[in-house]
Amino acid sequence: MLIRIAKASDPASSEITPRSVYLDRRTFMAGTAGFATLTLGGCKPKAATSSGPGTNAKLADVKEGYRKLGSADTLTTYDAVTSYNNFYEFGTDKEDPAKEAHRLKPRPWTVKVDGLCNKPGTIDFDDLIKPHALEERIFRLRCVEGWSMVIPWVGFSLGDLLKGFEPQGSAKFVQFETLVRPAEMIGQKDAFSLKWPYVEGLRMDEAMNPLATVAVGLYGEVLPNQNGAPIRVVLPWKYGFKSAKSIVRISFVEKQPENTWKVMQSREYGFYSNVNPSVDHPRWSQKTERRIGDFRRRDTLMFNGYEEEVASLYAGMDLKKNF
Ligand SMILES: Nc1nc2c(c(=O)[nH]1)N[C@H]1C(S)=C(S)[C@@H](COP(=O)(O)O)O[C@H]1N2
Ligand SMILES: [Mo]
């Protein structure tokens, strides 16, 4: 079986915390860090992850993971998270992935692991996930286009996944590759779109940072196709395009790998792509952003607000040159 789906013996949805309480609880928890167990109205709320509002299968046994948010951060609605997407494999409009991604078959799914590691192979998705406890991790997502969301992902540390393949000392970077299957990904038939497969990469120490996440779900449910089913990465301190979706290959390499948007327009997109309000995109400022669901723009934060967690990765680097 895959990532454990809730059993019939689990509480019926009518017994589960109503969505309004779930969201209130999130607002209430804003500003608190770590893994504290909080209470609401004197009773312990049920696991938030048992109350996903969508129609995908629920994920069972999801623990509370990272959830440090600012006082002005509230969860973006499930509807917005799943209907306003960038996933060019399904088309270039924000509405295209939600409309077209139903063709994608996220099972069976294998991930090929190769390059500089002791345990390469082609691994079935279920076997890949099995050794890892699932956590709900709530992160801001900042797109380079100037909009942002707050998303409750379900997943685990990318570092834990990668360590299982025993990367060698010579592996300085890791590259991710997305599925190419034009019959299911109709945006791949568009000759004027990106070059396929979509590829992305990280320096090894970035990939090992505890915030680097493998996501297999959101809002307590199996990842919707439009969000990168069945497996994607989430790098919350980087612009959204670094977080490659529907991954089929992970390669350990010595040299800095290519990444799709840099290949397309190297003047506009770099390899590091850390959220940085003081480095403008050539065609637009990165100083502010619009949180989907909000009216006003807000200031963009250095490293998307995760400076404390990741700044040391870039000590001594000129982030204006290495954007
Ligand atoms: N394979 C692939 N991954 C991708 C993209 C894409 O077009 N193809 N778009 C990226 C961009 S630009 C963003 S902002 C995020 C959006 O993730 P979401 O739709 O789940 O919010 O996915 C990223 N991952
Ligand atoms: Mo993006």
Side-chain angles (χ1 to χ4, degrees), residues 25-57:
R25 179 168 164 252
R26 281 302 183 271
T27 314
F28 170 74
M29 290 172 75
T32 66
F35 302 79
T37 307
L38 291 168
T39 58
L40 183 71
C43 62
K44 205 173 159 199
K46 298 205 183 206
T49 44
S50 62
S51 61
T55 54
N56 275 2

Side-chain angles (χ1 to χ4, degrees), residues 261-309:
W261 279 102
K262 181 167 185 279
V263 170
M264 300 302 293
Q265 314 222 20
S266 60
R267 251 179 30 81
E268 302 194 354
Y269 306 98
F271 175 76
Y272 285 95
S273 311
N274 293 312
V275 175
N276 188 343
S278 67
V279 177
D280 290 337
H281 180 280
R283 288 181 285 139
W284 55 77
S285 162
Q286 294 293 11
K287 288 188 179 58
T288 63
E289 67 199 59
R290 191 172 77 87
R291 182 65 52 81
I292 300 301
D294 281 3
F295 188 66
R296 284 168 195 273
R297 298 183 73 84
R298 63 175 72 202
D299 287 345
T300 287
L301 304 174
M302 186 62 199
F303 295 116
N304 204 20
Y306 301 106
E307 193 159 13
E308 196 188 322
E309 292 85 343

